[in-house]
Amino acid sequence: MKQDKKIPYKIYLEEQEMPKKWYNVRADMKVKPAPLLNPGTLQPMTAEELGAVFCDELVQQELDNDNAYIDIPQEILDFYKMYRPAPLVRAYCLEEKLQTPAKIYYKFEGNNTSGSHKLNSAIAQAYYAKKQGLKGVTTETGAGQWGTALSMACAYLGLDCEVYMVKVSYEQKPFRREVMRTYGASVTPSPSTTTEIGKKILAEHPGTTGSLGCAISEAVEAAVSKEGYRYVLGSVLNQVLLHQSIIGMETKAALDKYGIEPDIIIGCAGGGSNLGGLISPFMGEKLRGEKDYQIIAVEPASCPSLTRGKFAYDFCDTGMVTPLAKMYTLGSGFIPSPNHAGGLRYHGMSPVVSQLYHDGLMEARAVEQTAVFEAAEQFARIEGILPAPESSHAIRVAIDEALKCKETGEEKTIVFGLTGTGYFDMVAYEKFNNGVMSDYIPTDEDLQIGFNGLPDVPEK
Amino acid sequence: MKQDKKIPYKIYLEEQEMPKKWYNVRADMKVKPAPLLNPGTLQPMTAEELGAVFCDELVQQELDNDNAYIDIPQEILDFYKMYRPAPLVRAYCLEEKLQTPAKIYYKFEGNNTSGSHKLNSAIAQAYYAKKQGLKGVTTETGAGQWGTALSMACAYLGLDCEVYMVKVSYEQKPFRREVMRTYGASVTPSPSTTTEIGKKILAEHPGTTGSLGCAISEAVEAAVSKEGYRYVLGSVLNQVLLHQSIIGMETKAALDKYGIEPDIIIGCAGGGSNLGGLISPFMGEKLRGEKDYQIIAVEPASCPSLTRGKFAYDFCDTGMVTPLAKMYTLGSGFIPSPNHAGGLRYHGMSPVVSQLYHDGLMEARAVEQTAVFEAAEQFARIEGILPAPESSHAIRVAIDEALKCKETGEEKTIVFGLTGTGYFDMVAYEKFNNGVMSDYIPTDEDLQIGFNGLPDVPEK
């Protein structure tokens, strides 16, 4: 392996070098993300209205478009020390294998039991719930990374944790379910008969195996109908991107420590939590005109919210009980084909990421899943880490960009987010190993069904 | 969390501080481990005889009782950089929860896709096979950690990898199997019809779900009956302990860096690879009379080779095709109760560890599995990491010792090996979560069956 003697294989920040503040990219955005709207009045949600669903301090963070830096409470910094700093890895082996002049780095967020970056926001949301004296929190989970992360955070703080898990995942991913139970969470398959909306969905679609949008509706209802509970969400929201900025802050600190300047920054995008967090401080520099970077969001061709969605107000859930968010969306009724194996199956995209994309500050690419798993397998064999299917979307484009450099001879520096590990995704890998994985790209007609369900919100 | 400002939560060595040599504890042992014997002649195995099964350079390492330090080849050092250094973690949260004056540290070897320390020896063995110009290697795997580790090492080096996987694990742990396949290994359920010994075992026990001893027999046969292949083994052997000494070397370097002196060192023990590796440099100091440490091997009460086995020559496999090793053994015909959920199910123990234990240089404790899973769950909730059942044996005794300190007020420093993660062991956790896990301690009569099968080797 050829190694630049000045740059270690893995860059770990020292404990005292770890960031102590989150960075709020909204403060530097000229066009702010549109506010959440009350679906009844179509007026911006007030702090009071949001406070019925979310913890008070998280509501403040959700609405704060002004403060660029927010101190991370000491208790959260302590928890971060349990699994952070995450290493910034120089992919020397991958570079050698690809014979590219590009320099490739990845920020690896999978070295914790949740297997992903989700823990960064889970501990923050659980902490504020605890601080407010609440008994517990409710949430939904699909593949289970977010539910696991929240279970871990709640176990650490002694909070009750109720997880509504998409039924198909509950049944097909029993191991994820058991990890959450080991951390003391109660896990309910969704749709369930424990909520009104669950009963309604079951009555309308008796055989349904659930969806993330469904599970959100149930978790919100469970939170607002009980004393001492609030709802928490693992992606999409402004507050989540704020917490996830720790990824970007650490990445930037590690790069700065070794004088490395990235040219391209790549992240996979489902609801936008990892991508938004990774790019935040770099986007800040770009917004302030200090630096320029090529920033690429990568999404599945089977759930292409940025590349083929509409920039419009939409519900965040299937049951239409949440506020409306202005985002790139496929419609809250959109459900990805069962053929789709990886994550990143949410119908919408974080309003912050959506606005930045709309304003031309970043690009988006949609990739097909067999190409994603090819990249995943190649990466696993060369770099050792078995990546999550979600993360492998970013790997795919990082490899593509590195191969372009091979053609042009450019020595670009590429940084991508490796959000997590694929240990609980072996059913998808098995499909790929057995050569029975195929691709699926929705037709315009397929997408129209989701668009038809968009709420009618007049432009201001 | 109360933190000693001088000691970070996690100690990561810098790349340049990583050990560049393995330490061979046999060099400092006054009584050397007994040599492997040819089962036909009962004479010590020669290098030539061993060379039919193992790579030449590994044979040298196997027989080398003299050289204390062996340079780690640069290619292996490069691979180690992909997932090492492993962090030495100060268990501040666990200490606080237990309210113990003890200081607890653990060396965490689970931050890699194999999920355990096994990769440390897998890359070494694959490297020497490659260097010798071989086409590939064969091996066995039970739970799958070793097979995964070897698959990863072989994928990296471009070697063929054939894994015989205990049939019950092959069927019940399809995800482990798929990880190995993703890394390009061929995985065969054992016993199989691809070997003579497999056919013989199947004829004698038609319904058998296999055992590690069986799979070893098949893998050895597959290696010796093909041109360009050798057999590799993930534990027990002297060479494996040598490679695993990287665990202890790093641990000692990290402790020395912060001036920490351990009182107690604890490791789980199946075949002895992790325990032997962790304790090696500390045992060296003890053997040379420079320091004294309390060293504790922890094994399952259901497979108690050290605490209830015989110190005798025995076969390493069920099919009785391997050389004889002098070790603490339950007899090569011993098969742990199906009730036993975790790993550490091998009938024997590394000859090096066996000799050290026999000479009174360390203690051994047997623990029951429900107590082990209680410790695992407590640890997961407090320290965040979901431990492998194997590793949790060490956690159990570390907690027990910390609680003793609470009673006596002693501020002992405890170091234990956290060998890996439990992500592929959720079936066992599910049993525990559902309250249907029970304990099993073999009676003396149960054990006698294994002892009756011990080969008759006259004392010298």
Side-chain angles (χ1 to χ4, degrees), chain A residues 98-102 399-412 414:
Chain A
L98 299 175
Q99 296 192 283
T100 175
I399 290 177
D400 291 346
E401 290 297 317
L403 290 174
K404 276 190 209 163
C405 288
K406 187 177 174 177
E407 278 180 31
T408 62
E410 289 173 289
E411 292 187 24
K412 286 188 182 172
I414 300 168

Side-chain angles (χ1 to χ4, degrees), chain B residues 307-364:
Chain B
T307 51
R308 296 177 69 197
K310 284 197 199 303
F311 190 44
Y313 266 109
D314 193 9
F315 287 97
C316 300
D317 68 327
T318 311
M320 302 188 181
V321 302
T322 64
L324 303 175
K326 185 154 183 204
M327 55 185 179
Y328 278 86
T329 178
L330 300 163
S332 65
F334 177 85
I335 292 179
S337 155
N339 169 294
H340 173 71
L344 310 177
R345 47 196 307 133
Y346 187 62
H347 67 276
M349 178 59 63
S350 138
V352 169
V353 170
S354 292
Q355 190 65 52
L356 291 166
Y357 176 62
H358 192 68
D359 293 342
L361 289 151
M362 53 189 289
E363 305 165 27

